[in-house]
Amino acid sequence: MCRNQGGNDRLSAEVNYLRTRRPLDRIRRTEVQYPVSLENKGAVFQGYSARAVDNPSTGQDSHSAGQVNSGESPANARQKSSQQVTIRHNYLSPYCVLSPCHSARFIVQLGCRLPSSMNYVPKLFLALLTLITMAASLFGQGTAAPGASATPKAAASPGPGPTPIALPDIVTEASAAQNALQEINGELRSDPVKAAVLQGLPNFEHEIDVRNAESTRIIRNGPSLDILGQLLMIWQSLGDNASLWVRELTQRATGLDADLARLDNMAETWNLTANEAGAKNAPPDVLNRIRKTVGVIQQTQDSLKSSRADILNLQSRLAAEKTRIQVALGTVQQTKQDTLNRLLIRESPPIWALRENTLPSQTTRFAFLDQVRRLETFVVQEPAKFLAHIVLIFCLFLALHWARRGMREWVKEDPTLQRSVPVFDMPIAAAIALSMLFIPVIYPSTMPRLLRAIFGVAALLPAVILLRRLLDRRTFPVLYALIIFFFIDEIRLVTVALPLATRCLFVVEMLGGICFTVWLLRSRPRTASDDEARPPLPRTGRWLAQVALFLLGAALLGNILGYDSLSYLLGDSVLRAAYLALIFTAASRIVESLVIIAFQVRPLTYSSTVRKHRALLRRRTTQVLQLVIFLLWLDLVLKQFQLSDPLMAEANAMLNSGFALGAFRLSLGQILGFIAAVWASFVMSKLLRFLLEEDVYGRLKLSRGLPYAISSVLHYTVLMIGFFIALAALGVDMTKFTILAGAFSVGVGFGLQNVINNFVSGLIVLFERPIKVGDVIQVGDAIGSVKKIGIRASVVHAQDGSDIIVPNGTLISSQVTNWTFSDRLRAITAQIQVPRKVDQKAATELLRQAASGTSGVVKNPPPQAYITALSSNTLTLELRAWTDQYEDWMKIQSDLWSAINSKLEHENIALN
């Protein structure tokens, strides 16, 4: 049974607990009901509002805080001492602040108020409810608290608004405001983004108009896939330029909005400051300064709004142009797809039935003049790009001309370099041809087709001039034929808007290609010994020529019958492949010459690796560059035949195909990535160790065995990193790798103890270096030199020529004799017995002389001879000499015995 006074004490404790709560920004009213005696509730509820509730379910008030109903006697009040009193308390959190113990205490108090006549079942139920309440309260504190802390912040009241500046700070703040406004006005006056877009947008809009009209005309006349590819690249480039401008304008507009928000806050602050300064009768100078600042702020706001309006207007114009670009791009893409879909469908009448009203003067002249005007406009708009190209050619010419002087000396040292001399003998042609490789970097993809044709000629002619000096004379007809075909091809591209003229030129081109290819295939040597009469093409070239002959014939027949798309695809692709092969062949020879220069001059000549292995490095580098050039040529050829995208799609599908093992999916691409990562780690480890051994270790004074230890640790480290990369490429979740590592360690602990022991022992041997590679050791009865310290075992080369595999754990746990641990010296001992009557000093001197005269015996420490035993008839002499040629110590010992025998015979000293 509980007493009311105890309830009052507990209620006082709860009230004190609530008073300790510190209010925050957001306040919530909470009502908590307590069983309390009404006689003392006035002393308890100080500073709190409370009401007595006769029926907690209805919440009807019976009393106010600290007062007893005047119409009720004190006896009746005492009879209602068990009423519930509800406390309203404003505290910091919208959640209940009562601790688990407080919640449980309320339920216990409720159980105490039950009549004693009730059985124990409800009380047991209340006990269980108490435990559940405590657990729920603990869970609520652990999980709901974060949300509780976040809710007030989300609903927090906004920060305080601008406040007026104090009068003593007005001058300082006005100066700071003036500086900030000047900075904003300076940015507005020199807005590079706005200026660049304003300057370039009219030309950009004109370019889109011209390109749109050109694309419409070309698409209407049924272009080839090559022309459509060029148009697609041009429109994509225009779209990229528009997107870049839109991003820059968006960033600029965002910055202007931030500046306007700051100025609005500043204007409000200074307006409040002006009102307060006027109310406080500030000096006129201060008021004038405030008005001036407010005026400058207003002017800057107007300027910002005007600039923002201009930028928004530019964004609107660019959005319209992007829409036009997307429409044109979609049209070209659709046309290209339709062309691919109808490759085997006749698109136009046969060439003998084709008619053209404007042939040839009006439309041809208009198309050519349009190309010329666009070229003139491009030259006027982009003079810096042409200047950069000229500077590049001049720099390449100077480099090649400078290298020509040293090339003659290098050829004398290495006659194999003679094949690269013509590149340096014609530095102008080589510089022009090499600069053509940088055209995609210097010029945009939207350059006029006429300029593209001019660059094609500029690339082809120097390449032919160089190849005349670099290749065999038998290939000269191929060079001349390709030049003729190239000029016809460029003329046909310029007149692409004229279907009949284009098809006639294409037929002539295909006929010429077929005739020339047949001549190449029918060319035979006159005699077997006549080297000059060999065919102009090798075996691979003849096979490619046969494929080209078939494709050229199919292109000719298709164009005559009206299969324009198919004929243009086959014929243009064959010719483009030949042109690219010619250009890339010249580029390959030029690059090979540049590689020769690179390995002959500084800074590569500082490397001892280059000095020792120059020929090997030059050959390997040239092979890698030739492989890269071939892959580039193959990629361009596949794009010409429209096979690149389908092949890439099929390759991706093949690489992504795989199988699933439960939740783990493994694909062919992941397996290849794993193999490539492991292979690359081995190659990288080998390369790094090679460079260290050739260039680094020789320059540092390292103790014997330390370079091998560093290389071994580096090898293990690179392999471990490569293994982790390979696992990532395989699709293994590296966040779960710790679990795998734990399971692996358990497996190691049970099944691979010996292997891990040997591995760790090998690391100890490498770092502590009690045994080094090249040391002569003795393990048990085996003696030999250490050739390798591996992961699991070391290899010892015995004196009989056999290799002994010694586990690394044995080298650590067993006794090992290292004959060359501190130095390479080995003692050679010779013991003889002579008659006692022999002169002792003469005998020992004779032994020392024999040792000093033996080849392989070192002078320091000098040989020593001692008397080790004495008997009645004999003297025992011992000679000890040293040699640093440990591998030959047995031969040196044999020579020493021979020298001793010769000395004894010469002195007539007999042995006992």
Side-chain angles (χ1 to χ4, degrees), residues 381-411:
Q381 293 177 353
E382 304 289 348
K385 298 186 182 299
F386 291 94
L387 181 61
H389 195 176
I390 295 172
V391 172
L392 176 62
I393 294 174
F394 182 72
C395 294
L396 292 173
F397 166 75
L398 292 180
L400 294 172
H401 187 270
W402 170 81
R404 182 171 59 178
R405 295 179 297 177
M407 193 66 186
R408 298 185 181 93
E409 299 179 358
W410 300 333
V411 169

PDB file of all heavy atoms in Angstrom, residues 381-411:
ATOM      1  N   GLN A 381      37.681  34.185 -89.030  1.00  0.00           N
ATOM      2  CA  GLN A 381      37.265  33.972 -87.646  1.00  0.00           C
ATOM      3  C   GLN A 381      38.316  33.248 -86.810  1.00  0.00           C
ATOM      4  O   GLN A 381      38.363  33.444 -85.589  1.00  0.00           O
ATOM      5  CB  GLN A 381      35.962  33.178 -87.622  1.00  0.00           C
ATOM      6  CG  GLN A 381      34.773  33.921 -88.195  1.00  0.00           C
ATOM      7  CD  GLN A 381      33.522  33.054 -88.217  1.00  0.00           C
ATOM      8  OE1 GLN A 381      33.571  31.862 -87.930  1.00  0.00           O
ATOM      9  NE2 GLN A 381      32.403  33.674 -88.573  1.00  0.00           N
ATOM     10  N   GLU A 382      39.120  32.415 -87.419  1.00  0.00           N
ATOM     11  CA  GLU A 382      40.074  31.578 -86.664  1.00  0.00           C
ATOM     12  C   GLU A 382      41.509  31.782 -87.147  1.00  0.00           C
ATOM     13  O   GLU A 382      42.179  30.823 -87.559  1.00  0.00           O
ATOM     14  CB  GLU A 382      39.697  30.096 -86.787  1.00  0.00           C
ATOM     15  CG  GLU A 382      38.292  29.760 -86.345  1.00  0.00           C
ATOM     16  CD  GLU A 382      38.132  29.857 -84.837  1.00  0.00           C
ATOM     17  OE1 GLU A 382      39.161  29.960 -84.136  1.00  0.00           O
ATOM     18  OE2 GLU A 382      36.992  29.832 -84.363  1.00  0.00           O
ATOM     19  N   PRO A 383      42.030  33.002 -87.106  1.00  0.00           N
ATOM     20  CA  PRO A 383      43.417  33.183 -87.571  1.00  0.00           C
ATOM     21  C   PRO A 383      44.440  32.586 -86.598  1.00  0.00           C
ATOM     22  O   PRO A 383      45.531  32.180 -87.010  1.00  0.00           O
ATOM     23  CB  PRO A 383      43.559  34.699 -87.661  1.00  0.00           C
ATOM     24  CG  PRO A 383      42.567  35.225 -86.668  1.00  0.00           C
ATOM     25  CD  PRO A 383      41.416  34.275 -86.680  1.00  0.00           C
ATOM     26  N   ALA A 384      44.088  32.523 -85.311  1.00  0.00           N
ATOM     27  CA  ALA A 384      45.045  32.013 -84.326  1.00  0.00           C
ATOM     28  C   ALA A 384      45.340  30.534 -84.551  1.00  0.00           C
ATOM     29  O   ALA A 384      46.467  30.075 -84.310  1.00  0.00           O
ATOM     30  CB  ALA A 384      44.513  32.229 -82.915  1.00  0.00           C
ATOM     31  N   LYS A 385      44.377  29.788 -85.033  1.00  0.00           N
ATOM     32  CA  LYS A 385      44.593  28.361 -85.249  1.00  0.00           C
ATOM     33  C   LYS A 385      45.564  28.133 -86.398  1.00  0.00           C
ATOM     34  O   LYS A 385      46.436  27.254 -86.320  1.00  0.00           O
ATOM     35  CB  LYS A 385      43.262  27.668 -85.513  1.00  0.00           C
ATOM     36  CG  LYS A 385      42.284  27.770 -84.333  1.00  0.00           C
ATOM     37  CD  LYS A 385      41.054  26.963 -84.573  1.00  0.00           C
ATOM     38  CE  LYS A 385      40.083  27.121 -83.403  1.00  0.00           C
ATOM     39  NZ  LYS A 385      40.665  26.652 -82.126  1.00  0.00           N
ATOM     40  N   PHE A 386      45.445  28.911 -87.464  1.00  0.00           N
ATOM     41  CA  PHE A 386      46.394  28.781 -88.574  1.00  0.00           C
ATOM     42  C   PHE A 386      47.793  29.204 -88.138  1.00  0.00           C
ATOM     43  O   PHE A 386      48.793  28.593 -88.529  1.00  0.00           O
ATOM     44  CB  PHE A 386      45.927  29.629 -89.759  1.00  0.00           C
ATOM     45  CG  PHE A 386      44.690  29.111 -90.419  1.00  0.00           C
ATOM     46  CD1 PHE A 386      43.448  29.584 -90.055  1.00  0.00           C
ATOM     47  CD2 PHE A 386      44.766  28.135 -91.390  1.00  0.00           C
ATOM     48  CE1 PHE A 386      42.296  29.101 -90.659  1.00  0.00           C
ATOM     49  CE2 PHE A 386      43.625  27.643 -92.010  1.00  0.00           C
ATOM     50  CZ  PHE A 386      42.379  28.138 -91.635  1.00  0.00           C
ATOM     51  N   LEU A 387      47.865  30.253 -87.305  1.00  0.00           N
ATOM     52  CA  LEU A 387      49.165  30.678 -86.801  1.00  0.00           C
ATOM     53  C   LEU A 387      49.804  29.599 -85.928  1.00  0.00           C
ATOM     54  O   LEU A 387      51.013  29.337 -86.031  1.00  0.00           O
ATOM     55  CB  LEU A 387      49.001  31.979 -86.003  1.00  0.00           C
ATOM     56  CG  LEU A 387      50.287  32.577 -85.416  1.00  0.00           C
ATOM     57  CD1 LEU A 387      51.275  32.926 -86.522  1.00  0.00           C
ATOM     58  CD2 LEU A 387      49.959  33.815 -84.585  1.00  0.00           C
ATOM     59  N   ALA A 388      48.999  28.957 -85.071  1.00  0.00           N
ATOM     60  CA  ALA A 388      49.527  27.881 -84.231  1.00  0.00           C
ATOM     61  C   ALA A 388      50.017  26.709 -85.082  1.00  0.00           C
ATOM     62  O   ALA A 388      51.055  26.104 -84.785  1.00  0.00           O
ATOM     63  CB  ALA A 388      48.447  27.415 -83.256  1.00  0.00           C
ATOM     64  N   HIS A 389      49.311  26.419 -86.163  1.00  0.00           N
ATOM     65  CA  HIS A 389      49.736  25.342 -87.053  1.00  0.00           C
ATOM     66  C   HIS A 389      51.064  25.678 -87.728  1.00  0.00           C
ATOM     67  O   HIS A 389      51.962  24.834 -87.839  1.00  0.00           O
ATOM     68  CB  HIS A 389      48.653  25.096 -88.110  1.00  0.00           C
ATOM     69  CG  HIS A 389      48.824  23.806 -88.834  1.00  0.00           C
ATOM     70  ND1 HIS A 389      47.935  23.351 -89.768  1.00  0.00           N
ATOM     71  CD2 HIS A 389      49.806  22.850 -88.787  1.00  0.00           C
ATOM     72  CE1 HIS A 389      48.347  22.200 -90.250  1.00  0.00           C
ATOM     73  NE2 HIS A 389      49.475  21.871 -89.674  1.00  0.00           N
ATOM     74  N   ILE A 390      51.216  26.913 -88.155  1.00  0.00           N
ATOM     75  CA  ILE A 390      52.474  27.331 -88.788  1.00  0.00           C
ATOM     76  C   ILE A 390      53.632  27.261 -87.791  1.00  0.00           C
ATOM     77  O   ILE A 390      54.738  26.811 -88.117  1.00  0.00           O
ATOM     78  CB  ILE A 390      52.323  28.741 -89.380  1.00  0.00           C
ATOM     79  CG1 ILE A 390      51.299  28.722 -90.529  1.00  0.00           C
ATOM     80  CG2 ILE A 390      53.652  29.268 -89.870  1.00  0.00           C
ATOM     81  CD1 ILE A 390      50.951  30.101 -91.047  1.00  0.00           C
ATOM     82  N   VAL A 391      53.380  27.707 -86.569  1.00  0.00           N
ATOM     83  CA  VAL A 391      54.419  27.645 -85.534  1.00  0.00           C
ATOM     84  C   VAL A 391      54.817  26.198 -85.259  1.00  0.00           C
ATOM     85  O   VAL A 391      56.002  25.882 -85.069  1.00  0.00           O
ATOM     86  CB  VAL A 391      53.930  28.346 -84.252  1.00  0.00           C
ATOM     87  CG1 VAL A 391      54.904  28.114 -83.104  1.00  0.00           C
ATOM     88  CG2 VAL A 391      53.747  29.832 -84.496  1.00  0.00           C
ATOM     89  N   LEU A 392      53.848  25.300 -85.235  1.00  0.00           N
ATOM     90  CA  LEU A 392      54.147  23.884 -85.014  1.00  0.00           C
ATOM     91  C   LEU A 392      55.028  23.332 -86.138  1.00  0.00           C
ATOM     92  O   LEU A 392      56.000  22.610 -85.876  1.00  0.00           O
ATOM     93  CB  LEU A 392      52.846  23.097 -84.914  1.00  0.00           C
ATOM     94  CG  LEU A 392      52.981  21.575 -84.785  1.00  0.00           C
ATOM     95  CD1 LEU A 392      53.721  21.208 -83.504  1.00  0.00           C
ATOM     96  CD2 LEU A 392      51.609  20.909 -84.830  1.00  0.00           C
ATOM     97  N   ILE A 393      54.700  23.658 -87.379  1.00  0.00           N
ATOM     98  CA  ILE A 393      55.510  23.185 -88.497  1.00  0.00           C
ATOM     99  C   ILE A 393      56.931  23.733 -88.398  1.00  0.00           C
ATOM    100  O   ILE A 393      57.916  23.016 -88.633  1.00  0.00           O
ATOM    101  CB  ILE A 393      54.852  23.593 -89.836  1.00  0.00           C
ATOM    102  CG1 ILE A 393      53.525  22.866 -90.007  1.00  0.00           C
ATOM    103  CG2 ILE A 393      55.779  23.296 -91.009  1.00  0.00           C
ATOM    104  CD1 ILE A 393      52.748  23.308 -91.227  1.00  0.00           C
ATOM    105  N   PHE A 394      57.058  24.992 -88.014  1.00  0.00           N
ATOM    106  CA  PHE A 394      58.382  25.603 -87.906  1.00  0.00           C
ATOM    107  C   PHE A 394      59.200  24.936 -86.798  1.00  0.00           C
ATOM    108  O   PHE A 394      60.403  24.673 -86.978  1.00  0.00           O
ATOM    109  CB  PHE A 394      58.227  27.100 -87.643  1.00  0.00           C
ATOM    110  CG  PHE A 394      59.528  27.839 -87.567  1.00  0.00           C
ATOM    111  CD1 PHE A 394      60.289  28.061 -88.711  1.00  0.00           C
ATOM    112  CD2 PHE A 394      60.002  28.317 -86.355  1.00  0.00           C
ATOM    113  CE1 PHE A 394      61.495  28.737 -88.636  1.00  0.00           C
ATOM    114  CE2 PHE A 394      61.201  28.997 -86.276  1.00  0.00           C
ATOM    115  CZ  PHE A 394      61.949  29.215 -87.423  1.00  0.00           C
ATOM    116  N   CYS A 395      58.576  24.650 -85.663  1.00  0.00           N
ATOM    117  CA  CYS A 395      59.299  23.995 -84.565  1.00  0.00           C
ATOM    118  C   CYS A 395      59.740  22.584 -84.963  1.00  0.00           C
ATOM    119  O   CYS A 395      60.867  22.165 -84.657  1.00  0.00           O
ATOM    120  CB  CYS A 395      58.415  23.947 -83.313  1.00  0.00           C
ATOM    121  SG  CYS A 395      58.050  25.567 -82.604  1.00  0.00           S
ATOM    122  N   LEU A 396      58.862  21.853 -85.645  1.00  0.00           N
ATOM    123  CA  LEU A 396      59.244  20.524 -86.103  1.00  0.00           C
ATOM    124  C   LEU A 396      60.378  20.593 -87.121  1.00  0.00           C
ATOM    125  O   LEU A 396      61.293  19.747 -87.107  1.00  0.00           O
ATOM    126  CB  LEU A 396      58.027  19.816 -86.709  1.00  0.00           C
ATOM    127  CG  LEU A 396      56.912  19.437 -85.731  1.00  0.00           C
ATOM    128  CD1 LEU A 396      55.708  18.898 -86.491  1.00  0.00           C
ATOM    129  CD2 LEU A 396      57.403  18.413 -84.723  1.00  0.00           C
ATOM    130  N   PHE A 397      60.333  21.587 -87.982  1.00  0.00           N
ATOM    131  CA  PHE A 397      61.411  21.754 -88.966  1.00  0.00           C
ATOM    132  C   PHE A 397      62.747  22.032 -88.276  1.00  0.00           C
ATOM    133  O   PHE A 397      63.784  21.448 -88.631  1.00  0.00           O
ATOM    134  CB  PHE A 397      61.061  22.894 -89.921  1.00  0.00           C
ATOM    135  CG  PHE A 397      62.222  23.371 -90.741  1.00  0.00           C
ATOM    136  CD1 PHE A 397      62.692  22.616 -91.807  1.00  0.00           C
ATOM    137  CD2 PHE A 397      62.865  24.564 -90.438  1.00  0.00           C
ATOM    138  CE1 PHE A 397      63.773  23.058 -92.558  1.00  0.00           C
ATOM    139  CE2 PHE A 397      63.940  25.008 -91.173  1.00  0.00           C
ATOM    140  CZ  PHE A 397      64.392  24.244 -92.244  1.00  0.00           C
ATOM    141  N   LEU A 398      62.743  22.909 -87.270  1.00  0.00           N
ATOM    142  CA  LEU A 398      63.984  23.195 -86.550  1.00  0.00           C
ATOM    143  C   LEU A 398      64.518  21.953 -85.844  1.00  0.00           C
ATOM    144  O   LEU A 398      65.734  21.695 -85.861  1.00  0.00           O
ATOM    145  CB  LEU A 398      63.741  24.319 -85.529  1.00  0.00           C
ATOM    146  CG  LEU A 398      63.460  25.712 -86.098  1.00  0.00           C
ATOM    147  CD1 LEU A 398      63.236  26.698 -84.963  1.00  0.00           C
ATOM    148  CD2 LEU A 398      64.603  26.181 -86.993  1.00  0.00           C
ATOM    149  N   ALA A 399      63.623  21.179 -85.229  1.00  0.00           N
ATOM    150  CA  ALA A 399      64.076  19.973 -84.524  1.00  0.00           C
ATOM    151  C   ALA A 399      64.675  18.957 -85.487  1.00  0.00           C
ATOM    152  O   ALA A 399      65.742  18.376 -85.225  1.00  0.00           O
ATOM    153  CB  ALA A 399      62.906  19.369 -83.754  1.00  0.00           C
ATOM    154  N   LEU A 400      64.031  18.742 -86.627  1.00  0.00           N
ATOM    155  CA  LEU A 400      64.547  17.778 -87.597  1.00  0.00           C
ATOM    156  C   LEU A 400      65.839  18.270 -88.242  1.00  0.00           C
ATOM    157  O   LEU A 400      66.760  17.480 -88.496  1.00  0.00           O
ATOM    158  CB  LEU A 400      63.487  17.512 -88.666  1.00  0.00           C
ATOM    159  CG  LEU A 400      62.220  16.798 -88.171  1.00  0.00           C
ATOM    160  CD1 LEU A 400      61.174  16.775 -89.268  1.00  0.00           C
ATOM    161  CD2 LEU A 400      62.539  15.388 -87.720  1.00  0.00           C
ATOM    162  N   HIS A 401      65.916  19.580 -88.492  1.00  0.00           N
ATOM    163  CA  HIS A 401      67.131  20.127 -89.084  1.00  0.00           C
ATOM    164  C   HIS A 401      68.297  20.036 -88.107  1.00  0.00           C
ATOM    165  O   HIS A 401      69.436  19.755 -88.506  1.00  0.00           O
ATOM    166  CB  HIS A 401      66.893  21.577 -89.493  1.00  0.00           C
ATOM    167  CG  HIS A 401      68.036  22.180 -90.261  1.00  0.00           C
ATOM    168  ND1 HIS A 401      69.085  22.837 -89.644  1.00  0.00           N
ATOM    169  CD2 HIS A 401      68.315  22.215 -91.585  1.00  0.00           C
ATOM    170  CE1 HIS A 401      69.946  23.255 -90.551  1.00  0.00           C
ATOM    171  NE2 HIS A 401      69.507  22.897 -91.738  1.00  0.00           N
ATOM    172  N   TRP A 402      68.036  20.254 -86.837  1.00  0.00           N
ATOM    173  CA  TRP A 402      69.099  20.134 -85.828  1.00  0.00           C
ATOM    174  C   TRP A 402      69.546  18.676 -85.691  1.00  0.00           C
ATOM    175  O   TRP A 402      70.739  18.403 -85.534  1.00  0.00           O
ATOM    176  CB  TRP A 402      68.582  20.646 -84.492  1.00  0.00           C
ATOM    177  CG  TRP A 402      69.501  20.340 -83.346  1.00  0.00           C
ATOM    178  CD1 TRP A 402      70.620  21.023 -82.977  1.00  0.00           C
ATOM    179  CD2 TRP A 402      69.379  19.242 -82.439  1.00  0.00           C
ATOM    180  NE1 TRP A 402      71.202  20.428 -81.896  1.00  0.00           N
ATOM    181  CE2 TRP A 402      70.464  19.333 -81.542  1.00  0.00           C
ATOM    182  CE3 TRP A 402      68.474  18.211 -82.288  1.00  0.00           C
ATOM    183  CZ2 TRP A 402      70.645  18.417 -80.507  1.00  0.00           C
ATOM    184  CZ3 TRP A 402      68.651  17.291 -81.279  1.00  0.00           C
ATOM    185  CH2 TRP A 402      69.725  17.408 -80.393  1.00  0.00           C
ATOM    186  N   ALA A 403      68.593  17.742 -85.763  1.00  0.00           N
ATOM    187  CA  ALA A 403      68.952  16.329 -85.604  1.00  0.00           C
ATOM    188  C   ALA A 403      69.695  15.792 -86.818  1.00  0.00           C
ATOM    189  O   ALA A 403      70.384  14.774 -86.703  1.00  0.00           O
ATOM    190  CB  ALA A 403      67.690  15.507 -85.355  1.00  0.00           C
ATOM    191  N   ARG A 404      69.571  16.455 -87.966  1.00  0.00           N
ATOM    192  CA  ARG A 404      70.237  15.945 -89.168  1.00  0.00           C
ATOM    193  C   ARG A 404      71.746  15.976 -89.019  1.00  0.00           C
ATOM    194  O   ARG A 404      72.452  15.106 -89.533  1.00  0.00           O
ATOM    195  CB  ARG A 404      69.803  16.784 -90.377  1.00  0.00           C
ATOM    196  CG  ARG A 404      70.409  16.309 -91.695  1.00  0.00           C
ATOM    197  CD  ARG A 404      69.790  17.026 -92.873  1.00  0.00           C
ATOM    198  NE  ARG A 404      69.988  18.469 -92.771  1.00  0.00           N
ATOM    199  CZ  ARG A 404      69.575  19.340 -93.692  1.00  0.00           C
ATOM    200  NH1 ARG A 404      68.922  18.896 -94.770  1.00  0.00           N
ATOM    201  NH2 ARG A 404      69.781  20.628 -93.540  1.00  0.00           N
ATOM    202  N   ARG A 405      72.282  16.941 -88.265  1.00  0.00           N
ATOM    203  CA  ARG A 405      73.732  17.016 -88.104  1.00  0.00           C
ATOM    204  C   ARG A 405      74.274  15.845 -87.291  1.00  0.00           C
ATOM    205  O   ARG A 405      75.322  15.282 -87.599  1.00  0.00           O
ATOM    206  CB  ARG A 405      74.111  18.334 -87.431  1.00  0.00           C
ATOM    207  CG  ARG A 405      73.792  19.556 -88.280  1.00  0.00           C
ATOM    208  CD  ARG A 405      74.161  20.824 -87.538  1.00  0.00           C
ATOM    209  NE  ARG A 405      73.372  20.960 -86.308  1.00  0.00           N
ATOM    210  CZ  ARG A 405      73.540  21.964 -85.446  1.00  0.00           C
ATOM    211  NH1 ARG A 405      74.480  22.885 -85.645  1.00  0.00           N
ATOM    212  NH2 ARG A 405      72.768  22.029 -84.369  1.00  0.00           N
ATOM    213  N   GLY A 406      73.545  15.470 -86.239  1.00  0.00           N
ATOM    214  CA  GLY A 406      74.018  14.354 -85.428  1.00  0.00           C
ATOM    215  C   GLY A 406      73.700  13.004 -86.012  1.00  0.00           C
ATOM    216  O   GLY A 406      74.298  11.998 -85.622  1.00  0.00           O
ATOM    217  N   MET A 407      72.767  12.965 -86.974  1.00  0.00           N
ATOM    218  CA  MET A 407      72.362  11.680 -87.537  1.00  0.00           C
ATOM    219  C   MET A 407      73.509  11.025 -88.303  1.00  0.00           C
ATOM    220  O   MET A 407      73.649   9.799 -88.286  1.00  0.00           O
ATOM    221  CB  MET A 407      71.153  11.887 -88.450  1.00  0.00           C
ATOM    222  CG  MET A 407      70.454  10.603 -88.840  1.00  0.00           C
ATOM    223  SD  MET A 407      69.708   9.823 -87.389  1.00  0.00           S
ATOM    224  CE  MET A 407      69.132   8.294 -88.106  1.00  0.00           C
ATOM    225  N   ARG A 408      74.335  11.808 -88.953  1.00  0.00           N
ATOM    226  CA  ARG A 408      75.447  11.240 -89.724  1.00  0.00           C
ATOM    227  C   ARG A 408      76.429  10.521 -88.799  1.00  0.00           C
ATOM    228  O   ARG A 408      76.937   9.443 -89.132  1.00  0.00           O
ATOM    229  CB  ARG A 408      76.145  12.342 -90.506  1.00  0.00           C
ATOM    230  CG  ARG A 408      75.252  13.031 -91.534  1.00  0.00           C
ATOM    231  CD  ARG A 408      76.034  14.036 -92.365  1.00  0.00           C
ATOM    232  NE  ARG A 408      75.183  14.723 -93.328  1.00  0.00           N
ATOM    233  CZ  ARG A 408      74.591  15.873 -93.110  1.00  0.00           C
ATOM    234  NH1 ARG A 408      74.760  16.497 -91.943  1.00  0.00           N
ATOM    235  NH2 ARG A 408      73.828  16.430 -94.039  1.00  0.00           N
ATOM    236  N   GLU A 409      76.722  11.112 -87.655  1.00  0.00           N
ATOM    237  CA  GLU A 409      77.631  10.466 -86.707  1.00  0.00           C
ATOM    238  C   GLU A 409      77.008   9.201 -86.118  1.00  0.00           C
ATOM    239  O   GLU A 409      77.691   8.196 -85.910  1.00  0.00           O
ATOM    240  CB  GLU A 409      77.995  11.437 -85.595  1.00  0.00           C
ATOM    241  CG  GLU A 409      78.706  12.694 -86.103  1.00  0.00           C
ATOM    242  CD  GLU A 409      79.022  13.645 -84.978  1.00  0.00           C
ATOM    243  OE1 GLU A 409      78.652  13.322 -83.818  1.00  0.00           O
ATOM    244  OE2 GLU A 409      79.622  14.710 -85.243  1.00  0.00           O
ATOM    245  N   TRP A 410      75.710   9.241 -85.854  1.00  0.00           N
ATOM    246  CA  TRP A 410      75.057   8.060 -85.286  1.00  0.00           C
ATOM    247  C   TRP A 410      75.025   6.916 -86.301  1.00  0.00           C
ATOM    248  O   TRP A 410      75.116   5.750 -85.919  1.00  0.00           O
ATOM    249  CB  TRP A 410      73.639   8.416 -84.844  1.00  0.00           C
ATOM    250  CG  TRP A 410      73.607   9.498 -83.812  1.00  0.00           C
ATOM    251  CD1 TRP A 410      74.578   9.796 -82.914  1.00  0.00           C
ATOM    252  CD2 TRP A 410      72.543  10.417 -83.580  1.00  0.00           C
ATOM    253  NE1 TRP A 410      74.197  10.858 -82.120  1.00  0.00           N
ATOM    254  CE2 TRP A 410      72.941  11.260 -82.500  1.00  0.00           C
ATOM    255  CE3 TRP A 410      71.294  10.633 -84.137  1.00  0.00           C
ATOM    256  CZ2 TRP A 410      72.146  12.271 -82.007  1.00  0.00           C
ATOM    257  CZ3 TRP A 410      70.486  11.633 -83.646  1.00  0.00           C
ATOM    258  CH2 TRP A 410      70.907  12.453 -82.594  1.00  0.00           C
ATOM    259  N   VAL A 411      74.900   7.251 -87.579  1.00  0.00           N
ATOM    260  CA  VAL A 411      74.891   6.214 -88.609  1.00  0.00           C
ATOM    261  C   VAL A 411      76.247   5.540 -88.684  1.00  0.00           C
ATOM    262  O   VAL A 411      76.350   4.328 -88.919  1.00  0.00           O
ATOM    263  CB  VAL A 411      74.466   6.810 -89.962  1.00  0.00           C
ATOM    264  CG1 VAL A 411      74.697   5.821 -91.090  1.00  0.00           C
ATOM    265  CG2 VAL A 411      73.013   7.227 -89.918  1.00  0.00           C
TER     266      VAL A 411
END
